[in-house]
Structure formats: structure tokens, C-alpha cells
Amino acid sequence: MKKTILLVIIAFYSAVSFAQEDTTYWKKSGATSLTFGQTSFSNWAAGGENSVSVLGAFSANMNYEKSKWTWDNSVDLGYGLSYQGSDQIKNDDRIILATRVGYKASKLWSYAAEVSFKSQFYKGYSSYPVEDGEYYISKFMAPGYVYGSLGMNYTHPTEDLKILLSPVTEKMTFVLDDSLSNQGAYGVDPGKKVFAEFGSMAKATYSKKFAENILFKSTLSLFTAYESFGNVDVDWANSLDWKLNKYFTLKVDLFLLYDNDIKNVDKDGNPEGAKVQLKEVLGFGFGYIF
């Protein structure tokens, strides 16, 4: 597992180093932002709690094309906290990396291989604010996901839309925390650290820079294991960075997730059935689009 994650990191480092040496065949885009929110009350009859929030995010695409070869790399990082009174609440936490190599079979289609990684930076809890004695339900690499895919890649003539169709995909779910693995969290057998599934995947990525101040990206991944064919995992991430002027940026993120192996946990920590998960993040602050 460590070798797989290291492979993805090396691929990104190699892409950055290569892009710095030779920019002729590279197309690069991305956005970084630091956004804030604040509410305060003083003698407010209707009541309320003072709050402050801060969210940092970085996303980038580095795509290479020369002759029949293509190499697409993407990174999406985000972490945010809110403070309500004396309570600290996590409002965003994500690490998403992907690297894809392709060899053209025709003008629009390529043979392709992709490795992707997804996890989070810090611990997550079933409810906030966190009370004394409350135990976390997630952390870095609990869960962590690694996908390895082989298939065909379709690239729209504008190159804004790319679709990977992979009948050969290995999905590996890691729960490297002893307590969570003993609970059988995220689909692993109790006491185990890894759950592997072999199946097929379709992944569509749309990335578009409108003018010089708006960047939109949407990635939809659909995976089904052959052992439970037809039971589809859905992972859909959307992000919009809108640079309003020289200094300020509006950032909107919307995520939809469904995975039958992820059981919802109620406020008392009791597992429930799988549910559609939604997350929306809105921020206003400083940002840069490149």
C-alpha cells in the first residue's frame, strides 16, 4: 500500500519537475484559495453563537501530450475549520490525487492506465462539537482508497471532457487504524486493514476555464465490483473558483457520494445503512487562478 501511494506522489513530483524543464507540450491550470466567514452577536435578542470559519484549498491539472503519448495529472486538496464559541468543527478535509498515462489508438481514443488515491488529513467525528470521550470515526488512511484502472480513454476535441472506461479496475479500501478496523468500518472484515474489490469503472472529468477569472471542474466516478455487479459506487465532485477582482475569490464546492460499504453513523455512534452523502462548501476570500 505504501508503495502504491509513493508511486502516485512520485508521479506528481515527476510531472512538476518535467513541466518546469519543458513547457512546450504541457497544459496547466488550477486554483488556490483561502476563504473566511464570520458572525458575531452582542445583546442580540433572538440569540446566536459567535462563529469564525477558515478554509484552504488547492487544485491543479497538469496535462502532457507529445506524439501519441498523453499524461494527465490532477491534485485536489482542502481543509477547513469553523469555530463556534469555544467549539472547533471541521468543515472540509480531502486529499485526492490521480495520474493517467495514455497511448493514442485513434484521434479521440487512447489506451489508458490510471492510479488514483483518496483520503483525508485529520480525524473526523460522528457529531460536532466533540464531547469528552467521543471517539473518532475516520482519520488519514481510515479510510483511504486506491484505484488502479486499465481501459480506454475518450478525449473530446476541445479536451475539456475526458472519459475513462475501464473493465479492469482494482479498488482497495484501507483502514489502517486498529480501533476502526476491529469495528469492520468502511467494508473491511473486522480486524483486517484492507478490502480489495475487482470490477469496472467509468470516470468522466470536465475541466473548463471560462475567460480568465472562472475555473470549473467536475469529476464523476462510477464503480461496480463484479462480485456484486450492479451495486454502483458513486463519487461526484464539483468545484467552482470565481475570481471577482484582483484580490477576492468566490469558491463553491459540491460533493455527492454513495458507497454501499460506508454505513452512516448516528449521533450516538451507532452504524446505520448506507445513504447518499452530500457536502457543500461555500467560501469568500483570497484566491488565485492560473
Side-chain angles (χ1 to χ4, degrees):
M1 183 277 303
K2 293 182 179 179
K3 292 182 179 179
T4 304
I5 298 175
L6 182 61
L7 176 63
V8 178
I9 295 174
I10 290 174
F12 277 102
Y13 178 79
S14 300
V16 172
S17 300
F18 192 19
Q20 290 175 342
E21 294 176 2
D22 183 1
T23 61
T24 306
Y25 304 101
W26 287 91
K27 291 184 178 180
K28 294 166 282 185
S29 64
T32 182
S33 62
L34 184 63
T35 58
F36 304 90
Q38 187 265 341
T39 304
S40 63
F41 299 87
S42 179
N43 302 320
W44 191 253
E49 186 75 57
N50 295 344
S51 66
V52 176
S53 64
V54 58
L55 170 66
F58 173 78
S59 64
N61 297 318
M62 295 183 295
N63 301 328
Y64 174 85
E65 182 175 356
K66 183 179 180 181
S67 186
K68 290 189 174 183
W69 288 97
T70 61
W71 184 19
D72 299 338
N73 302 273
S74 65
V75 55
D76 185 11
L77 309 174
Y79 191 80
L81 293 172
S82 295
Y83 296 88
Q84 296 183 353
S86 59
D87 298 322
Q88 177 179 286
I89 300 171
K90 184 172 70 170
N91 56 31
D92 194 20
D93 190 358
R94 66 183 185 275
I95 305 171
I96 305 173
L97 308 174
T99 183
R100 182 186 303 175
V101 175
Y103 184 81
K104 286 190 175 182
S106 65
K107 183 177 180 180
L108 300 179
W109 288 92
S110 304
Y111 305 106
E114 178 180 280
V115 177
S116 63
F117 168 73
K118 181 179 180 181
S119 190
Q120 63 191 57
F121 288 101
Y122 195 61
K123 296 177 181 177
Y125 295 83
S126 58
S127 62
Y128 290 87
V130 180
E131 299 178 357
D132 292 340
E134 186 171 357
Y135 203 71
Y136 55 85
I137 60 172
S138 65
K139 59 186 294 188
F140 178 71
M141 290 307 295
Y145 301 96
V146 174
Y147 290 83
S149 302
L150 294 174
M152 297 294 293
N153 183 74
Y154 168 81
T155 302
H156 190 271
T158 64
E159 298 187 0
D160 297 329
L161 175 65
K162 297 185 178 183
I163 301 175
L164 174 66
L165 301 177
S166 171
V168 181
T169 296
E170 183 80 3
K171 174 187 176 183
M172 303 186 70
T173 303
F174 297 90
V175 181
L176 302 188
D177 179 83
D178 291 336
S179 176
L180 293 175
S181 68
N182 289 336
Q183 298 172 29
Y186 302 101
V188 302
D189 292 331
K192 300 293 184 179
K193 300 293 181 67
V194 183
F195 175 49
E197 298 174 274
F198 180 67
S200 60
M201 184 177 72
K203 182 177 181 179
T205 302
Y206 179 79
S207 181
K208 179 72 172 180
K209 186 176 182 181
F210 298 92
E212 292 297 322
N213 63 328
I214 300 177
L215 180 64
F216 175 74
K217 183 178 180 180
S218 181
T219 301
L220 173 63
S221 297
L222 306 173
F223 172 82
T224 183
Y226 289 127
E227 186 175 351
S228 56
F229 192 79
N231 187 357
V232 181
D233 297 338
V234 181
D235 191 344
W236 190 16
N238 302 273
S239 65
L240 173 68
D241 290 86
W242 185 357
K243 191 168 181 60
L244 303 175
N245 56 35
K246 183 178 180 180
Y247 300 102
F248 297 107
T249 294
L250 175 68
K251 182 171 181 61
V252 182
D253 292 321
L254 179 62
F255 304 90
L256 183 150
L257 179 66
Y258 177 82
D259 188 330
N260 191 60
D261 297 317
I262 302 178
K263 309 304 181 183
N264 189 62
V265 178
D266 63 22
K267 64 180 181 180
D268 297 321
N270 300 314
E272 300 177 333
K275 296 182 178 181
V276 175
Q277 305 172 55
L278 292 171
K279 181 174 72 173
E280 180 264 334
V281 181
L282 174 65
F284 175 78
F286 303 101
Y288 178 67
I289 295 176
F290 59 92

